[in-house]
Amino acid sequence: MLMRALGSAAQSDAAIDARHSVRLAAGLLASALLFGGQSVFLTFVQAMPQALGVVALAYAAWHWRAVVAAPGARAMLAIAAAMLALVVVQIIPLPYALWSALPGREVGAAMLAAGPGGSPWHPLSQDPQATLQSAFMLLPAAGMLTVGLLLDRAALRGLVLLMLALAGVSLMLGWLQMIVGIDSSLYLYGDQRELVSTGLFSNRNHQADLLCLGALSAGIALYFLAPAQDGIRRHRFAIACAAVIMFGAGVAATGSRTGGSLFVPTAVVAITLSLAERRAGRRTRRHAPLVALGAIAVIAIGWLLVGQPLARLGASDDLRYAIWPDAWYVARSLWPVGGGFGTFALSYQQIESLGSVTPLLINAAHDDYLQLLIEGGAVALAIMLAFFAWLGVQTRRIARAPAGRAGWFALAGVALLLIHSAVDYPLRTEALSTVFVLLCLVINAASHPLPLAEDTAPPAEPGARHITESEHRG
């Protein structure tokens, strides 16, 4: 009796801990998307997702053994720990002789030599406060990683549905912004110069990213819900097309050129995910014509919807083309140590060529990979390559041992953000960096098959077909 009672108590504690993990992860995702849409000028509300990130990290530390024991956790945590270690190294003071010998410190060393202040110790980062701010903005993503490793697949699916709901909120807010006008208080971060949809973000490109992810998550949500809901299963093609058209119209309203271009393949993947089925381990061929027809229709609609972005493709005054040559020069001048996270603006202003000087403050390289080289140097490059290696391994695992469609959905979302990062900085927002980590968690879960007990579906409604094991994995 005593052993049975202890076993029941342990199961009850585990259930309570699971509920706490789910609620904490959901609160973290919601706060990041609702209050973390700014990436340049920090606002007070960003303290909310950061505070929840700290709580999540503390909670994960309390359950550290369970976090580390999760399938695939060690590799993900090692990459995150390496980035944290790099931030710590960047703010540790160095002797003046060592600091002044670092690449790119010539101007600072000359100013100190000319002044009466002596030669104090200096950290590797050219602006330690900016580096700490950059670290604080990573707290929601770090919290999502550690708590997310405690979640099972059902909980991760719930977070995907929550992301879909919040993408819908951002879509509706963007439409209202277009209706009310440029001076509307519905623009959450103010200082709006163009009548475009920004939704929960300060940048239209980042709004376009979330809406593309919303279209993807609509497709995978139908895959989750269709087997047990006969009405959804029978009409999921029409529902997927409607969702794609709605999110596509939202992307067009942003005026984002890259977002409009990325939306077309995103829509094709979303419809394919909504129609994907498996029976006895084989795809049903009768849906192949529908998938092809849907892909052609979505491509045609997508190019019609991106008329506003296409009108901007010929613009010759895009600052990116003026920024990138100078930014590459900065990267070479600071190689291999970098200037410190959050110091791009300071480093860029020191070498900005006269031909590219504008009244605007250049605070980002508009290329996350290039900016990572500038701020983190060779170590940041090595961490980035380690992440790509991890992603390649997970992709190979998913391809070799298919376990549903969730893994492919997450891979498509990660690819979208990584591609856009080549011409913008979406992952420098708390909102999209947290979503990015969620997608990586889904990839990790899909590439490490779990026991069937965690994938048990709710009871099917009368008239619903039998659900095979392969349909409920991932």
Side-chain angles (χ1 to χ4, degrees), residues 187-272:
Y187 285 102
L188 304 182
Y189 298 97
D191 192 26
Q192 188 63 30
R193 296 188 295 272
E194 295 181 75
L195 183 60
V196 294
S197 166
T198 60
L200 295 171
F201 295 87
S202 63
N203 186 305
R204 60 183 168 191
N205 296 311
H206 304 158
Q207 165 78 340
D209 285 332
L210 181 62
L211 297 184
C212 286
L213 292 172
L216 275 176
S217 54
I220 199 67
L222 288 173
Y223 174 72
F224 290 158
L225 300 174
Q229 300 289 336
D230 189 60
I232 294 177
R233 182 172 61 85
R234 285 186 288 107
H235 301 292
R236 63 192 183 281
F237 177 74
I239 296 172
C241 287
V244 161
I245 291 173
M246 287 179 59
F247 282 108
V251 171
T254 66
S256 171
R257 293 165 292 186
T258 308
S261 300
L262 290 174
F263 173 74
V264 177
T266 295
V268 175
V269 173
I271 289 184
T272 303

Coordinates of all heavy atoms in Angstrom, one line a residue, residues 187-272:
Y187 N -0.4 51.5 -34.2 CA 1.0 51.2 -34.4 C 1.7 51.2 -33.0 O 2.0 52.3 -32.4 CB 1.6 52.2 -35.3 CG 1.2 52.1 -36.8 CD1 0.3 52.9 -37.4 CD2 1.8 51.1 -37.6 CE1 -0.1 52.7 -38.7 CE2 1.4 50.9 -38.9 CZ 0.4 51.7 -39.4 OH 0.1 51.5 -40.7
L188 N 2.0 50.1 -32.5 CA 2.4 49.9 -31.2 C 3.8 50.6 -30.8 O 4.0 51.0 -29.7 CB 2.6 48.4 -30.8 CG 1.3 47.6 -31.1 CD1 1.5 46.1 -30.7 CD2 0.1 48.2 -30.3
Y189 N 4.6 50.8 -31.8 CA 5.9 51.4 -31.5 C 6.1 52.8 -32.1 O 7.2 53.3 -32.1 CB 7.0 50.4 -32.1 CG 7.0 49.1 -31.4 CD1 6.3 48.0 -32.0 CD2 7.5 48.9 -30.1 CE1 6.3 46.8 -31.3 CE2 7.5 47.7 -29.5 CZ 6.8 46.6 -30.1 OH 6.8 45.4 -29.4
G190 N 5.0 53.4 -32.7 CA 5.0 54.8 -33.1 C 6.0 55.0 -34.2 O 6.5 54.1 -34.9
D191 N 6.2 56.3 -34.5 CA 7.2 56.8 -35.6 C 7.0 56.0 -36.9 O 7.9 55.5 -37.4 CB 8.6 56.6 -35.0 CG 9.6 57.3 -35.9 OD1 9.2 58.3 -36.6 OD2 10.8 56.9 -35.9
Q192 N 5.7 55.9 -37.3 CA 5.4 55.2 -38.6 C 5.5 56.2 -39.8 O 4.8 57.2 -39.8 CB 4.0 54.6 -38.5 CG 3.7 53.6 -39.6 CD 4.6 52.4 -39.7 OE1 5.1 52.0 -38.6 NE2 4.9 51.9 -40.8
R193 N 6.3 55.8 -40.8 CA 6.5 56.7 -41.9 C 5.7 56.3 -43.1 O 5.5 57.1 -44.0 CB 8.0 56.8 -42.3 CG 8.8 57.4 -41.2 CD 10.3 57.7 -41.7 NE 10.9 56.4 -42.0 CZ 11.6 55.7 -41.1 NH1 11.7 56.2 -39.8 NH2 12.3 54.6 -41.4
E194 N 5.2 55.0 -43.2 CA 4.5 54.6 -44.3 C 3.2 53.8 -43.8 O 3.2 53.2 -42.7 CB 5.3 53.6 -45.2 CG 6.5 54.2 -45.8 CD 7.3 53.2 -46.7 OE1 6.8 52.9 -47.8 OE2 8.3 52.8 -46.2
L195 N 2.2 53.9 -44.6 CA 0.9 53.2 -44.3 C 1.1 51.7 -44.8 O 0.7 51.4 -45.9 CB -0.2 53.9 -45.0 CG -1.6 53.3 -44.7 CD1 -1.9 53.4 -43.2 CD2 -2.7 53.9 -45.5
V196 N 1.6 50.9 -43.9 CA 1.8 49.5 -44.1 C 1.4 48.8 -42.9 O 1.3 49.4 -41.8 CB 3.3 49.2 -44.5 CG1 3.6 49.8 -45.8 CG2 4.2 49.6 -43.4
S197 N 1.2 47.5 -43.0 CA 0.9 46.6 -41.9 C 2.1 46.2 -41.1 O 3.0 45.6 -41.7 CB 0.1 45.4 -42.4 OG 0.0 44.4 -41.4
T198 N 2.2 46.5 -39.8 CA 3.3 46.0 -39.0 C 2.8 45.1 -37.9 O 3.6 44.4 -37.2 CB 4.1 47.2 -38.4 OG1 3.2 48.0 -37.6 CG2 4.7 48.0 -39.5
G199 N 1.5 45.1 -37.6 CA 0.9 44.2 -36.6 C 1.6 44.4 -35.2 O 1.7 45.6 -34.7
L200 N 2.1 43.4 -34.7 CA 2.6 43.4 -33.3 C 4.1 43.8 -33.3 O 4.8 43.8 -32.3 CB 2.5 42.0 -32.7 CG 1.1 41.5 -32.4 CD1 1.2 40.0 -32.0 CD2 0.5 42.3 -31.3
F201 N 4.6 44.2 -34.5 CA 6.1 44.5 -34.7 C 6.3 46.0 -35.0 O 5.4 46.7 -35.3 CB 6.7 43.6 -35.8 CG 6.6 42.1 -35.5 CD1 5.5 41.4 -35.8 CD2 7.7 41.5 -34.8 CE1 5.5 40.0 -35.5 CE2 7.7 40.2 -34.6 CZ 6.6 39.4 -34.9
S202 N 7.5 46.3 -34.9 CA 7.9 47.7 -35.3 C 8.4 47.7 -36.8 O 8.6 48.8 -37.4 CB 9.0 48.2 -34.4 OG 10.2 47.4 -34.5
N203 N 8.6 46.5 -37.4 CA 9.2 46.4 -38.7 C 8.3 45.5 -39.5 O 7.9 44.4 -39.1 CB 10.6 45.7 -38.5 CG 11.3 45.6 -39.8 OD1 10.8 45.1 -40.8 ND2 12.5 46.2 -39.8
R204 N 7.9 46.0 -40.7 CA 7.0 45.2 -41.6 C 7.6 43.9 -42.1 O 6.8 43.0 -42.3 CB 6.7 46.1 -42.8 CG 7.8 46.5 -43.7 CD 7.3 47.4 -44.8 NE 8.4 48.0 -45.5 CZ 8.2 49.0 -46.4 NH1 7.0 49.4 -46.6 NH2 9.2 49.5 -47.0
N205 N 8.9 43.8 -42.2 CA 9.5 42.6 -42.6 C 9.3 41.5 -41.6 O 9.1 40.3 -41.9 CB 11.0 42.7 -42.8 CG 11.3 43.7 -44.0 OD1 10.8 43.6 -45.1 ND2 12.2 44.7 -43.7
H206 N 9.3 41.8 -40.3 CA 9.1 40.9 -39.2 C 7.7 40.5 -39.1 O 7.4 39.3 -38.8 CB 9.6 41.5 -37.9 CG 11.1 41.9 -38.0 ND1 11.6 42.8 -37.1 CD2 12.1 41.5 -38.8 CE1 12.9 43.0 -37.4 NE2 13.2 42.2 -38.5
Q207 N 6.8 41.4 -39.4 CA 5.4 41.1 -39.5 C 5.1 40.0 -40.6 O 4.4 39.1 -40.4 CB 4.5 42.3 -39.7 CG 3.1 42.1 -40.2 CD 2.1 41.7 -39.1 OE1 2.5 41.2 -38.1 NE2 0.9 41.9 -39.4
A208 N 5.8 40.3 -41.8 CA 5.6 39.3 -42.9 C 6.1 37.9 -42.5 O 5.5 36.9 -42.9 CB 6.4 39.8 -44.1
D209 N 7.2 37.9 -41.7 CA 7.7 36.6 -41.3 C 6.7 35.8 -40.4 O 6.5 34.6 -40.6 CB 9.0 36.8 -40.5 CG 10.2 37.1 -41.4 OD1 10.2 36.7 -42.5 OD2 11.1 37.8 -40.9
L210 N 6.1 36.5 -39.5 CA 5.1 35.9 -38.6 C 3.9 35.4 -39.4 O 3.4 34.3 -39.1 CB 4.7 36.8 -37.5 CG 3.7 36.2 -36.5 CD1 4.3 35.0 -35.8 CD2 3.3 37.3 -35.4
L211 N 3.5 36.2 -40.3 CA 2.3 35.8 -41.1 C 2.6 34.6 -42.0 O 1.8 33.7 -42.2 CB 1.8 37.0 -42.0 CG 1.4 38.2 -41.2 CD1 0.8 39.3 -42.1 CD2 0.3 37.8 -40.2
C212 N 3.9 34.5 -42.6 CA 4.3 33.3 -43.3 C 4.3 32.1 -42.4 O 3.8 31.0 -42.8 CB 5.7 33.5 -43.9 SG 5.7 34.6 -45.3
L213 N 4.8 32.3 -41.2 CA 4.7 31.2 -40.2 C 3.3 30.8 -39.8 O 3.0 29.7 -39.5 CB 5.5 31.6 -39.0 CG 7.1 31.7 -39.2 CD1 7.7 32.2 -37.9 CD2 7.7 30.3 -39.5
G214 N 2.4 31.9 -39.8 CA 1.0 31.6 -39.5 C 0.4 30.7 -40.6 O -0.4 29.8 -40.3
A215 N 0.7 31.0 -41.9 CA 0.2 30.2 -42.9 C 0.7 28.7 -42.8 O 0.0 27.7 -43.0 CB 0.6 30.7 -44.3
L216 N 2.0 28.6 -42.5 CA 2.5 27.2 -42.2 C 1.9 26.5 -41.1 O 1.5 25.3 -41.2 CB 4.0 27.3 -41.9 CG 5.0 27.4 -43.1 CD1 6.4 27.6 -42.6 CD2 4.9 26.2 -44.0
S217 N 1.7 27.2 -40.0 CA 1.1 26.6 -38.8 C -0.4 26.3 -39.1 O -0.9 25.3 -38.5 CB 1.3 27.5 -37.6 OG 0.8 28.8 -37.8
A218 N -1.1 27.0 -39.9 CA -2.4 26.7 -40.3 C -2.5 25.3 -41.0 O -3.4 24.5 -40.7 CB -3.0 27.8 -41.2
G219 N -1.5 25.1 -41.9 CA -1.5 23.8 -42.6 C -1.2 22.7 -41.6 O -1.9 21.6 -41.7
I220 N -0.3 22.8 -40.7 CA 0.0 21.8 -39.8 C -1.1 21.6 -38.8 O -1.3 20.5 -38.3 CB 1.4 22.0 -39.1 CG1 2.0 20.7 -38.5 CG2 1.3 23.0 -38.0 CD1 2.3 19.6 -39.6
A221 N -1.8 22.7 -38.4 CA -2.9 22.5 -37.5 C -4.0 21.7 -38.0 O -4.6 20.9 -37.3 CB -3.4 23.9 -37.1
L222 N -4.2 21.8 -39.3 CA -5.2 21.0 -40.0 C -4.8 19.5 -40.0 O -5.6 18.6 -39.8 CB -5.5 21.5 -41.4 CG -6.2 22.8 -41.6 CD1 -6.2 23.2 -43.0 CD2 -7.7 22.6 -41.1
Y223 N -3.5 19.3 -40.1 CA -3.0 17.9 -40.1 C -3.2 17.3 -38.7 O -3.5 16.2 -38.5 CB -1.5 17.9 -40.4 CG -0.8 16.6 -40.3 CD1 -1.1 15.5 -41.2 CD2 0.0 16.3 -39.2 CE1 -0.5 14.3 -41.0 CE2 0.6 15.1 -39.1 CZ 0.3 14.1 -40.0 OH 0.9 12.9 -39.8
F224 N -3.0 18.2 -37.7 CA -3.2 17.7 -36.3 C -4.7 17.4 -36.0 O -5.0 16.4 -35.4 CB -2.8 18.8 -35.3 CG -1.3 19.0 -35.2 CD1 -0.8 20.2 -34.7 CD2 -0.4 18.0 -35.6 CE1 0.6 20.4 -34.7 CE2 1.0 18.2 -35.6 CZ 1.5 19.4 -35.1
L225 N -5.6 18.3 -36.5 CA -7.0 18.2 -36.2 C -7.8 17.3 -37.1 O -8.9 16.8 -36.7 CB -7.6 19.6 -36.1 CG -7.0 20.6 -35.1 CD1 -7.6 21.9 -35.3 CD2 -7.1 20.1 -33.7
A226 N -7.4 17.2 -38.4 CA -8.2 16.5 -39.3 C -8.6 15.1 -39.0 O -9.7 14.6 -39.2 CB -7.6 16.6 -40.7
P227 N -7.6 14.3 -38.6 CA -7.9 12.8 -38.3 C -9.1 12.6 -37.4 O -9.9 11.7 -37.6 CB -6.6 12.3 -37.8 CG -5.6 13.2 -38.3 CD -6.2 14.5 -38.3
A228 N -9.2 13.4 -36.4 CA -10.2 13.2 -35.3 C -11.5 14.0 -35.6 O -12.5 13.8 -34.9 CB -9.7 13.5 -33.9
Q229 N -11.5 14.9 -36.6 CA -12.6 15.7 -36.9 C -13.0 15.5 -38.3 O -12.4 16.0 -39.2 CB -12.3 17.2 -36.6 CG -11.9 17.6 -35.2 CD -13.1 17.5 -34.2 OE1 -14.2 17.6 -34.7 NE2 -12.8 17.2 -33.0
D230 N -14.1 14.8 -38.5 CA -14.5 14.4 -39.9 C -14.8 15.6 -40.7 O -14.4 15.7 -41.9 CB -15.7 13.5 -39.8 CG -16.0 12.9 -41.2 OD1 -15.1 12.2 -41.7 OD2 -17.1 13.1 -41.7
G231 N -15.4 16.6 -40.2 CA -15.8 17.8 -40.9 C -14.5 18.6 -41.4 O -14.5 19.0 -42.6
I232 N -13.5 18.7 -40.5 CA -12.3 19.4 -40.9 C -11.6 18.5 -41.9 O -11.0 19.0 -42.9 CB -11.4 19.6 -39.7 CG1 -12.1 20.6 -38.7 CG2 -10.0 20.1 -40.1 CD1 -11.3 20.8 -37.4
R233 N -11.6 17.2 -41.8 CA -10.9 16.3 -42.7 C -11.4 16.4 -44.1 O -10.7 16.4 -45.1 CB -10.9 14.9 -42.2 CG -10.2 13.9 -43.0 CD -10.2 12.5 -42.4 NE -11.5 12.0 -42.2 CZ -12.1 11.3 -43.1 NH1 -11.6 11.1 -44.3 NH2 -13.3 10.8 -42.9
R234 N -12.7 16.5 -44.2 CA -13.3 16.5 -45.5 C -13.1 17.9 -46.2 O -13.1 17.9 -47.5 CB -14.8 16.2 -45.4 CG -15.1 14.7 -45.2 CD -16.6 14.4 -45.2 NE -17.3 14.9 -44.1 CZ -18.1 15.9 -44.1 NH1 -18.3 16.6 -45.2 NH2 -18.7 16.3 -43.0
H235 N -13.0 18.9 -45.5 CA -13.0 20.3 -46.1 C -11.6 21.0 -45.9 O -11.5 22.2 -46.0 CB -14.1 21.2 -45.5 CG -15.4 20.6 -45.7 ND1 -16.0 20.6 -47.0 CD2 -16.4 20.1 -44.9 CE1 -17.2 20.0 -46.9 NE2 -17.5 19.8 -45.6
R236 N -10.6 20.2 -45.5 CA -9.3 20.8 -45.1 C -8.6 21.5 -46.3 O -7.9 22.5 -46.1 CB -8.4 19.8 -44.5 CG -7.9 18.7 -45.4 CD -7.2 17.6 -44.5 NE -6.7 16.5 -45.4 CZ -7.5 15.5 -45.9 NH1 -8.8 15.5 -45.6 NH2 -7.0 14.6 -46.6
F237 N -8.8 21.1 -47.5 CA -8.2 21.8 -48.7 C -8.8 23.2 -48.8 O -8.1 24.2 -48.9 CB -8.5 21.0 -49.9 CG -7.9 21.7 -51.2 CD1 -6.6 21.7 -51.4 CD2 -8.8 22.3 -52.1 CE1 -6.1 22.4 -52.5 CE2 -8.3 22.9 -53.2 CZ -6.9 23.0 -53.4
A238 N -10.1 23.3 -48.7 CA -10.8 24.6 -48.8 C -10.3 25.5 -47.6 O -10.1 26.7 -47.7 CB -12.3 24.5 -48.8
I239 N -10.3 24.9 -46.4 CA -9.9 25.7 -45.2 C -8.4 26.1 -45.3 O -8.1 27.3 -45.0 CB -10.0 24.8 -43.9 CG1 -11.5 24.4 -43.7 CG2 -9.5 25.5 -42.7 CD1 -11.7 23.5 -42.6
A240 N -7.5 25.3 -45.8 CA -6.1 25.6 -46.0 C -6.0 26.8 -47.0 O -5.2 27.7 -46.8 CB -5.3 24.4 -46.5
C241 N -6.7 26.7 -48.1 CA -6.7 27.8 -49.1 C -7.1 29.1 -48.5 O -6.6 30.1 -48.8 CB -7.5 27.4 -50.3 SG -6.7 26.1 -51.4
A242 N -8.2 29.0 -47.8 CA -8.7 30.3 -47.1 C -7.7 30.9 -46.2 O -7.5 32.1 -46.2 CB -10.1 30.0 -46.4
A243 N -7.1 30.0 -45.4 CA -6.1 30.5 -44.5 C -4.9 31.1 -45.2 O -4.4 32.2 -44.8 CB -5.6 29.4 -43.5
V244 N -4.5 30.4 -46.3 CA -3.3 30.9 -47.1 C -3.7 32.3 -47.7 O -2.8 33.2 -47.7 CB -2.9 29.9 -48.1 CG1 -2.1 30.5 -49.3 CG2 -2.2 28.7 -47.5
I245 N -4.9 32.4 -48.2 CA -5.3 33.7 -48.9 C -5.3 34.8 -47.8 O -4.9 35.9 -48.1 CB -6.6 33.5 -49.6 CG1 -6.5 32.6 -50.8 CG2 -7.2 34.9 -50.0 CD1 -7.8 32.3 -51.5
M246 N -5.8 34.5 -46.6 CA -5.9 35.6 -45.6 C -4.5 36.0 -45.2 O -4.2 37.2 -45.1 CB -6.7 35.0 -44.4 CG -8.2 34.9 -44.6 SD -9.0 34.2 -43.1 CE -8.5 35.4 -41.8
F247 N -3.6 35.0 -44.9 CA -2.3 35.4 -44.5 C -1.5 36.0 -45.6 O -0.7 36.9 -45.4 CB -1.5 34.2 -43.9 CG -1.9 33.8 -42.5 CD1 -2.7 32.7 -42.2 CD2 -1.5 34.6 -41.5 CE1 -3.0 32.4 -41.0 CE2 -1.9 34.3 -40.2 CZ -2.6 33.2 -39.9
G248 N -1.8 35.6 -46.9 CA -1.1 36.2 -48.0 C -1.5 37.6 -48.2 O -0.7 38.5 -48.5
A249 N -2.8 37.9 -48.0 CA -3.2 39.3 -48.1 C -2.5 40.2 -47.0 O -2.2 41.3 -47.2 CB -4.7 39.4 -47.9
G250 N -2.3 39.6 -45.8 CA -1.6 40.3 -44.8 C -0.2 40.5 -45.1 O 0.4 41.6 -44.8
V251 N 0.5 39.5 -45.8 CA 1.9 39.7 -46.2 C 2.0 40.8 -47.2 O 2.9 41.7 -47.2 CB 2.4 38.4 -46.7 CG1 3.8 38.6 -47.4 CG2 2.6 37.4 -45.6
A252 N 1.0 40.9 -48.2 CA 1.0 41.9 -49.2 C 0.9 43.3 -48.6 O 1.5 44.3 -49.0 CB -0.1 41.6 -50.2
A253 N 0.0 43.4 -47.5 CA -0.2 44.7 -46.8 C 1.1 45.2 -46.1 O 1.2 46.4 -45.9 CB -1.3 44.5 -45.8
T254 N 2.0 44.3 -45.8 CA 3.3 44.8 -45.2 C 4.2 45.5 -46.2 O 5.0 46.3 -45.8 CB 4.1 43.6 -44.6 OG1 4.5 42.7 -45.7 CG2 3.2 42.8 -43.6
G255 N 4.0 45.2 -47.5 CA 4.9 45.8 -48.5 C 6.3 45.2 -48.4 O 7.2 45.8 -49.0
S256 N 6.5 44.1 -47.7 CA 7.8 43.5 -47.6 C 8.1 42.7 -48.9 O 7.4 41.8 -49.3 CB 7.9 42.5 -46.4 OG 9.1 41.8 -46.4
R257 N 9.2 43.0 -49.6 CA 9.6 42.4 -50.8 C 10.1 40.9 -50.5 O 9.6 40.0 -51.2 CB 10.8 43.1 -51.5 CG 10.3 44.5 -52.0 CD 11.5 45.3 -52.4 NE 12.3 45.7 -51.2 CZ 13.3 46.6 -51.2 NH1 13.7 47.1 -52.4 NH2 13.9 46.9 -50.1
T258 N 10.9 40.7 -49.5 CA 11.4 39.4 -49.2 C 10.3 38.6 -48.6 O 10.1 37.4 -49.0 CB 12.6 39.5 -48.2 OG1 13.6 40.3 -48.7 CG2 13.2 38.1 -48.0
G259 N 9.4 39.2 -47.8 CA 8.3 38.5 -47.2 C 7.3 38.0 -48.3 O 6.8 36.9 -48.3
G260 N 7.1 38.8 -49.3 CA 6.2 38.4 -50.4 C 6.8 37.3 -51.2 O 6.1 36.4 -51.7
S261 N 8.1 37.4 -51.5 CA 8.7 36.3 -52.2 C 8.7 35.0 -51.5 O 8.5 33.9 -52.0 CB 10.2 36.7 -52.6 OG 10.2 37.9 -53.3
L262 N 9.0 35.0 -50.1 CA 9.0 33.8 -49.3 C 7.6 33.2 -49.1 O 7.5 32.0 -48.8 CB 9.6 34.1 -48.0 CG 11.1 34.4 -48.0 CD1 11.6 34.8 -46.6 CD2 11.9 33.2 -48.5
F263 N 6.6 34.1 -49.3 CA 5.2 33.6 -49.0 C 4.8 32.5 -50.0 O 4.1 31.6 -49.7 CB 4.2 34.7 -49.0 CG 2.8 34.3 -48.9 CD1 2.3 33.8 -47.7 CD2 2.0 34.2 -50.0 CE1 1.0 33.3 -47.6 CE2 0.7 33.8 -49.9 CZ 0.2 33.3 -48.7
V264 N 5.2 32.6 -51.3 CA 4.8 31.7 -52.3 C 5.2 30.3 -52.0 O 4.3 29.4 -51.9 CB 5.3 32.1 -53.7 CG1 4.9 31.1 -54.7 CG2 4.8 33.5 -54.0
P265 N 6.4 30.0 -51.7 CA 6.7 28.6 -51.4 C 6.2 28.2 -50.0 O 5.8 27.0 -49.8 CB 8.3 28.5 -51.3 CG 8.7 30.0 -51.2 CD 7.7 30.8 -51.9
T266 N 6.0 29.2 -49.1 CA 5.4 28.9 -47.8 C 4.0 28.4 -48.0 O 3.5 27.4 -47.3 CB 5.4 30.2 -47.0 OG1 6.8 30.5 -46.7 CG2 4.7 29.9 -45.7
A267 N 3.2 29.1 -48.9 CA 1.8 28.7 -49.1 C 1.8 27.3 -49.7 O 0.9 26.5 -49.3 CB 1.2 29.7 -50.1
V268 N 2.6 26.9 -50.6 CA 2.6 25.6 -51.2 C 2.9 24.5 -50.1 O 2.2 23.5 -50.0 CB 3.7 25.5 -52.3 CG1 3.8 24.0 -52.8 CG2 3.4 26.4 -53.4
V269 N 3.9 24.8 -49.2 CA 4.2 23.9 -48.1 C 3.0 23.8 -47.2 O 2.6 22.7 -46.7 CB 5.4 24.3 -47.4 CG1 5.6 23.4 -46.1 CG2 6.6 24.3 -48.3
A270 N 2.3 24.9 -46.9 CA 1.2 24.9 -46.0 C 0.0 24.0 -46.5 O -0.5 23.2 -45.8 CB 0.7 26.3 -45.7
I271 N -0.3 24.1 -47.8 CA -1.4 23.3 -48.3 C -1.0 21.9 -48.4 O -1.8 21.0 -48.1 CB -1.8 23.9 -49.7 CG1 -2.5 25.2 -49.6 CG2 -2.6 22.9 -50.5 CD1 -3.0 25.8 -50.9
T272 N 0.3 21.6 -48.8 CA 0.8 20.2 -48.8 C 0.7 19.6 -47.4 O 0.2 18.4 -47.3 CB 2.2 20.2 -49.3 OG1 2.3 20.8 -50.6 CG2 2.7 18.7 -49.4

